[in-house]
Amino acid sequence: MKRIGIVVAMQAEARCIARQHFQLYQPIAVRDKLIVTLCGMGAQAAWRAAAELVDQHGVVALISFGVAGALDARLHSGDLVVPISVINEQVYATNGSLRANLVRRLSGDVNVIDSPLAGSEQVLTSEQEKLALAIRTGACAVDMESGAIATVAVDRNIPFIAVRAITDPVQYSPPAVLLGALHVDGRVKPLSLLVLLIRRQVHLTELLRLGGGMRAASATLKTAIRQIETLLD
């Protein structure tokens, strides 16, 4: 059976595909034509997960699926980026046929943007960092994993697309200190977060804003996954 391999970095992204707990690097067949791997945040983890999906599970295409930060002020939480290319150390074109097919199926359901997506080695935590990357690359959004997944697809000569919903607009970013309160798969460390709140290093209003952005992005990803599973029809 032909299957599409989907790589996600965080549990919250995986739950947009299936309501179950994913273990790192343990692929799960979801529905008939999708196999999903949770890799944790970062390019190296994403490369490993994508390579295993191709080499050990024989997937015929790869999708980088999850959330992204906006680099363009016109993008809002919940917008969907299905880019024509991913810009990392070099430019990787995404598969035109898969991309066009998905965008057509999503037409009218969500706001889809096809501008390039940039890669970053770390989470960008300020508007200045985002704008600098936008100027340097011309990209509309940023994530940490898509570039690595694209390299695997190119090396194995299989189609690749990225499907990324915007969480944080360009004017707002997660505080850098908050990253220390997260596990590698994006789950919160409750005690660490409580300490940040008590010390007022993170404020409740910031968490509420982040939560709202994630809810908007998750709703979009749930809409997208219903169409992704039909791409091999």
Side-chain angles (χ1 to χ4, degrees), residues 76-187:
H76 304 284
S77 299
D79 287 344
L80 188 68
V81 179
V82 186
I84 60 173
S85 62
V86 174
I87 303 169
N88 210 26
E89 294 180 352
Q90 64 186 74
V91 179
Y92 299 94
T94 57
N95 183 268
S97 177
L98 281 180
R99 187 182 69 252
N101 194 0
L102 178 59
V103 171
R104 176 179 57 81
R105 292 167 189 252
L106 287 169
S107 178
D109 292 332
V110 296
N111 184 32
V112 181
I113 299 94
D114 67 358
S115 299
L117 174 71
S120 175
E121 293 184 358
Q122 62 274 326
V123 177
L124 302 186
T125 58
S126 73
E127 182 177 358
Q128 291 72 25
E129 288 179 321
K130 288 181 174 181
L131 293 176
L133 184 60
I135 292 170
R136 189 163 68 248
T137 63
C140 74
V142 58
D143 76 5
M144 297 170 62
E145 294 82 28
S146 292
I149 299 166
T151 65
V152 173
V154 169
D155 289 344
R156 273 64 169 184
N157 194 30
I158 63 172
F160 160 80
I161 60 173
V163 180
R164 291 280 173 165
I166 298 296
T167 50
D168 45 295
V170 69
Q171 302 89 347
Y172 180 75
S173 302
V177 69
L178 182 61
L179 301 179
L182 301 177
H183 291 283
V184 68
D185 63 358
R187 288 177 299 118

